[in-house]
Amino acid sequence: MEKTQGWLSILGANPDVFYKHLFDVETPKYGAGRPSSWPLGHEMEYECRLGDMILCSKVREAYEVGFRGKKRDKPTAMEQLLGGTGDAVRVRRIAKVEQVSCDNCGLHLADADKPGGRFFYYCRQCKRSGRRFELCVACHVLEILQGEGKYSGNSFHPHYLKCQHRSTLIRRQSLENAYLDSPHLHRVLCDMCGGVVVGRGASDQCAKDGGSGGLPSKNRKGQELNDPHKKFYILASEFYACAHCPEQTGLRFELCVPCHNRISESGRGIQQLETTL
Ligand SMILES: [Zn+2]
Ligand SMILES: [Zn+2]
Ligand SMILES: [Zn+2]
Ligand SMILES: [Zn+2]
């Protein structure tokens, strides 16, 4: 405790009472880290990262003759709008690789037996698992842009030093709602636990963490959602975003609902303790 308070005073910082306990660890590290290491959420059984996406100009550079892999059907207009949140209900089919299309926007990219295809990225991690995930060049750029304004340093987000927990965090229903000027954003990772809140794979992540919504592959009653006649979507998981950080430091700050609530509860506890002392 003493040591922590010591280096906080060296930094000249006096964090909100709700955040003080976060500094009571030897090496504080919160958040999702570098965007290049963020999970892309292609599948839940393993983690694919940006470095796993390999650029190719021909289908046979990516998949040898005879390779068979499971690929999801092309995303519908609705699923494209969801930026991957609807993946869980997209039907996977196993087949030889005749053609390649973007799993994000559905664009047809190349045929195995015809010349003149476009450049595309395939996921080597998915391929190792007998699955396929492909992106067009534009959607790959979009994937890189998701890290825009996110803190990726080694210590902790300036929010924890400068912002007040209760007055700066606003509950958001969706990304558009939080960042009107950045319609290309389709991913939120929590700046506390590092978990995926919104984006490809968010659903299963949320289910694993005890749930702040998202799109489960089974609904609460355990019913399979793969029946196309019964499709239902929970558009986006809610999260909390700081209203100050983008203006003050140019950084986004986001918390998943469980992390936000945990901090609020322990903060209130500390406050009560201080007033009774
Ligand atoms: Zn695309
Ligand atoms: Zn993958
Ligand atoms: Zn902030
Ligand atoms: Zn969290």
Side-chain angles (χ1 to χ4, degrees):
M1 192 75 170
E2 252 170 46
K3 186 176 19 177
T4 312
Q5 300 307 334
W7 62 257
L8 275 177
S9 66
I10 290 165
L11 283 170
N14 184 25
D16 184 4
V17 62
F18 278 63
Y19 294 144
K20 273 202 170 127
H21 70 282
L22 300 176
F23 300 92
D24 291 344
V25 289
E26 199 82 14
T27 44
K29 173 125 184 58
Y30 304 111
R34 288 197 326 276
S36 58
S37 63
W38 290 3
L40 296 176
H42 296 168
E43 297 292 342
M44 282 309 124
E45 293 83 356
Y46 49 87
E47 282 187 353
C48 311
R49 297 162 201 282
L50 266 182
D52 293 316
M53 300 302 297
I54 310 296
L55 182 65
C56 282
S57 63
K58 291 189 190 74
V59 174
R60 292 299 167 225
E61 276 174 38
Y63 307 106
E64 51 281 9
V65 179
F67 173 83
R68 292 169 68 87
K70 265 188 199 171
K71 184 168 166 80
R72 291 189 182 92
D73 282 351
K74 282 190 181 182
T76 61
M78 179 62 166
E79 284 154 354
Q80 284 178 42
L81 210 69
L82 294 174
T85 316
D87 281 354
V89 289
R90 281 169 61 200
V91 178
R92 292 188 188 85
R93 297 175 203 281
I94 187 160
K96 281 198 280 189
V97 187
E98 311 287 355
Q99 55 173 10
V100 164
S101 65
C102 178
D103 276 283
N104 192 50
C105 70
L107 184 70
H108 176 260
L109 296 166
D111 290 292
D113 308 317
K114 286 184 215 154
R118 298 165 198 254
F119 278 90
F120 66 92
Y121 289 83
Y122 80 97
C123 178
R124 66 177 175 195
Q125 199 63 32
C126 283
K127 187 186 173 189
R128 277 182 205 136
S129 306
R131 298 196 175 151
R132 293 172 52 194
F133 193 94
E134 292 126 19
L135 285 178
C136 71
V137 172
C139 287
H140 185 263
V141 170
L142 198 65
E143 202 56 80
I144 294 168
L145 285 177
Q146 298 312 307
E148 192 182 81
K150 281 297 265 188
Y151 176 77
S152 58
N154 273 328
S155 135
F156 37 83
H157 198 294
H159 174 90
Y160 296 120
L161 289 168
K162 297 182 173 169
C163 295
Q164 299 293 310
H165 183 71
R166 280 157 303 168
S167 59
T168 61
L169 291 174
I170 298 171
R171 191 165 182 144
R172 299 294 194 180
Q173 317 290 323
S174 70
L175 263 167
E176 303 86 78
N177 194 269
Y179 308 109
L180 278 171
D181 297 335
S182 304
H184 58 280
L185 293 178
H186 62 239
R187 177 161 296 165
V188 171
L189 279 86
C190 175
D191 283 299
M192 181 80 227
C193 67
V196 180
V197 188
V198 178
R200 238 179 197 108
S203 49
D204 303 55
Q205 186 74 32
C206 286
K208 203 170 67 187
D209 293 346
S212 57
L215 183 85
S217 57
K218 287 183 177 183
N219 69 13
R220 301 253 182 269
K221 289 174 192 151
Q223 227 172 330
E224 287 287 345
L225 293 180
N226 289 340
D227 179 347
H229 302 293
K230 280 192 198 153
K231 272 187 187 180
F232 88 86
Y233 296 99
I234 297 164
L235 278 165
S237 310
E238 291 186 329
F239 61 95
Y240 285 84
C242 178
H244 274 205
C245 279
E247 283 172 24
Q248 305 281 316
T249 57
L251 291 170
R252 291 154 61 190
F253 178 84
E254 290 131 359
L255 285 180
C256 69
V257 174
C259 281
H260 173 273
N261 293 348
R262 212 172 299 131
I263 293 171
S264 298
E265 273 165 38
S266 70
R268 273 196 294 272
I270 293 165
Q271 266 192 326
Q272 271 167 8
L273 209 72
E274 283 182 353
T275 50
T276 51
L277 280 178

